[in-house]
Amino acid sequence: MSKDKSARIPTPQPVRGTQDMLGDFADRFAYVVETFERVRRLYGFKRVEVPVIEPTAVFARSLGETTDVVSKEMYSFEDRGGEGITLRPEFTAGIARAYVTNGWQQFAPLKVATHGPLFRYERPQKGRYRQFHQLDAEVLGSDSPLADAELLVFADQLLKELGISEGVTLTLNTLGDAASRDAWRAALVEHFEGHRGDLSEDSLARLDKNPLRILDSKDPKDRPIADGAPDIDAFLTSEAQDFFGAVTAGLDAAGVAWERNARLVRGLDYYRHTAFEFVTDRLGAQGTVLGGGRYDGLIENLGGPPTPAVGWAAGIERLAMLLADDIIDNRLDAVIAVEDDSQLALAMRALAVLRSSGFATEIVASGSPRKRFDKAAKIPAHALISVGTRDGAPHINIRGGSDRAKQAEAVVRAL
Ligand code: ATP
Ligand code: MG
């Protein structure tokens, strides 16, 4: 090693579980967000922005102290003023907090959508990061099953427009109303108590605090016990049955395929009625691409008035990984090769006019002039425009047969 190399300052490494994106994956990420932004407008969801940081109580109170997210996964710290702050691990609690503190009740029912980064202290692996990103859609202040159905049809159309609905299944369950859920919970506790000796350690802890979570345990020890547990169906009140019936009728009417999964529960404590996941077998263990449900209890947990609400979130990275290989078209409309520097001003004018007319355009104007044409030809574009001199006069040559190339040519010829 040379002297000055060993003197170099070591480069700090990125935080474990974070990702830098450039090129193909960044393009896929942007494609997911752009598609989401387009589709959410079709469904009349307003854009909402909420802070990345919230007082820790926003999540601790609304998510429930016993959930994995709150007990193990939160990035919490004290700020310089001694306030307990948490980097948001999900959107719903922050949006619910904003709904209460801003008096957004006046807009109820309020349909909102957002996307951005979230933080969870998890074991990083494929499709699982410590900083990841979600798309999120919520309907606050509606107790209608039509809101649940609308959100699901929105999610289904989004996945179709992303071209990834093939092999993705909507699985649906009901967690009933408070009365159904309490009765079911008691029956589950009785069932699991009978198998205490065979449950995993994690599930034993859940038995006291959050017995529903044993149902979706991935531990092979728990699986037969969870599979043998009673379904909620026998405990559903007629109101809860009607609610679920109205959601599924809405899906059927819109032509959205769904499957009942009586084992599906959401990780968070505040869910009521509808719970759902869009799942795929194309991502290995990280098979859930979009999940959500009705959280009628959450806003009250945050000290707000009783407010029915329903929503979903989808991992952007997981959606981006599912996109087809050829989905991103990075082809420019035009690329300009400046073959003679005396014509640089003409080329720059063509570049400016093309761009301001809405044509994605790049210019090759550096390096040896003789090599610029070949360099430009290697850049994927509809039209290849060379600007040079012929017989002492400025000369523009344009290649490319597509409609887009012809439109670009018309703009340049009109200069
Ligand atoms: P999982 O069972 O995979 O841990 P979850 O139940 O914790 O998911 P939610 O809190 O419902 O997930 O979040 C919704 C979606 O966000 C997930 O379906 C997934 O696509 C994505 N997601 C959740 N955690 C991560 C993570 N650590 N990295 C990347 N994406 C994630
Ligand atoms: Mg998780």
Side-chain angles (χ1 to χ4, degrees):
M1 226 193 261
S2 78
K3 217 177 173 184
D4 62 324
K5 250 191 192 162
S6 60
R8 225 180 251 168
I9 302 166
T11 307
Q13 294 304 295
V15 174
R16 209 165 115 76
T18 63
Q19 290 200 97
D20 304 308
M21 301 177 205
L22 174 72
D24 183 58
F25 197 70
D27 290 336
R28 289 163 168 268
F29 189 101
Y31 182 82
V32 170
V33 173
E34 283 159 21
T35 307
F36 172 70
E37 279 294 289
R38 185 162 50 72
V39 178
R40 65 108 179 139
R41 284 193 183 90
L42 299 177
Y43 284 78
F45 280 66
K46 288 194 173 68
R47 182 76 197 188
V48 68
E49 304 296 339
V50 290
V52 170
I53 50 174
E54 292 280 356
T56 298
V58 167
F59 305 110
R61 253 199 249 154
S62 60
L63 274 61
E65 307 278 354
T66 61
T67 57
D68 282 357
V69 170
V70 172
S71 61
K72 300 185 222 159
E73 297 175 359
M74 289 207 306
Y75 274 93
S76 300
F77 59 96
E78 237 178 54
D79 71 8
R80 289 172 193 278
E83 202 177 334
I85 302 282
T86 292
L87 301 182
R88 65 184 177 201
E90 56 126 50
F91 276 114
T92 308
I95 292 174
R97 192 274 307 142
Y99 185 81
V100 177
T101 58
N102 294 297
W104 289 346
Q105 290 95 321
Q106 62 180 310
F107 306 123
L110 178 65
K111 302 197 287 184
V112 289
T114 192
H115 87 277
L118 304 165
F119 304 84
R120 295 185 192 176
Y121 196 80
E122 305 210 61
R123 195 166 63 80
Q125 53 198 288
K126 188 181 175 224
R128 190 174 291 285
Y129 315 97
R130 290 184 174 173
Q131 174 172 341
F132 64 104
H133 301 75
Q134 282 182 346
L135 311 173
D136 186 272
E138 315 278 348
V139 181
L140 300 114
S142 171
D143 62 1
S144 168
L146 296 180
D148 308 47
E150 181 179 37
L151 273 164
L152 284 163
V153 180
F154 170 8
D156 184 73
Q157 181 167 348
L158 173 67
L159 299 180
K160 283 188 176 131
E161 298 220 359
L162 288 170
I164 60 180
S165 54
E166 201 74 20
V168 175
T169 310
L170 164 57
T171 61
L172 198 62
N173 198 16
T174 175
L175 306 175
D177 46 23
S180 322
R181 196 179 152 123
D182 290 349
W184 183 40
R185 189 187 149 108
L188 286 174
V189 170
E190 195 184 316
H191 171 80
F192 292 131
E193 285 289 355
H195 296 86
R196 226 173 213 287
D198 301 319
L199 285 173
S200 69
E201 217 171 286
D202 279 348
S203 285
L204 274 179
R206 291 182 188 124
L207 186 48
D208 297 324
K209 293 170 183 159
N210 196 353
L212 265 60
R213 283 314 308 268
I214 302 176
L215 286 178
D216 70 351
S217 166
K218 284 167 190 138
D219 195 310
K221 266 184 91 177
D222 298 329
R223 265 334 313 159
I225 308 168
D227 290 334
D231 290 348
I232 194 171
D233 297 50
F235 307 96
L236 285 179
T237 60
S238 64
E239 290 83 6
Q241 262 171 28
D242 289 349
F243 192 97
F244 192 53
V247 175
T248 56
L251 293 176
D252 294 341
V256 173
W258 58 277
E259 272 173 24
R260 174 80 192 273
N261 173 7
R263 290 288 159 273
L264 177 72
V265 292
R266 301 293 307 151
L268 310 175
D269 287 342
Y270 49 66
Y271 283 98
R272 298 279 182 278
H273 289 294
T274 326
F276 53 84
E277 280 180 358
F278 285 79
V279 292
T280 175
D281 51 17
R282 285 167 56 202
L283 289 176
Q286 270 53 258
T288 306
V289 291
L290 186 152
R294 180 164 275 282
Y295 51 93
D296 290 350
L298 183 146
I299 291 177
E300 249 180 305
N301 283 0
L302 279 174
T307 308
V310 52
W312 55 251
I316 300 180
E317 289 85 351
R318 290 188 200 173
L319 293 172
M321 288 191 289
L322 286 169
L323 295 178
D325 289 340
D326 57 359
I327 199 108
I328 305 295
D329 182 5
N330 270 332
R331 202 149 49 134
L332 295 167
D333 292 314
V335 58
I336 300 173
V338 184
E339 293 192 286
D340 180 342
D341 282 332
S342 69
Q343 298 306 328
L344 183 61
L346 174 61
M348 295 300 282
R349 204 167 114 230
L351 175 67
V353 171
L354 278 166
R355 284 176 171 169
S356 61
S357 310
F359 292 85
T361 310
E362 230 2 307
I363 191 162
V364 178
S366 61
S368 156
R370 281 184 301 113
K371 293 186 182 153
R372 289 181 198 163
F373 184 86
D374 290 344
K375 217 164 137 186
K378 287 198 184 109
I379 300 173
H382 285 274
L384 173 54
I385 302 170
S386 57
V387 179
T389 313
R390 191 180 287 176
D391 307 325
H395 181 78
I396 297 178
N397 182 56
I398 303 179
R399 294 193 196 184
S402 73
D403 286 351
R404 197 68 185 146
K406 284 180 190 135
Q407 289 160 7
E409 173 160 19
V411 169
V412 173
R413 293 290 175 214
L415 277 180

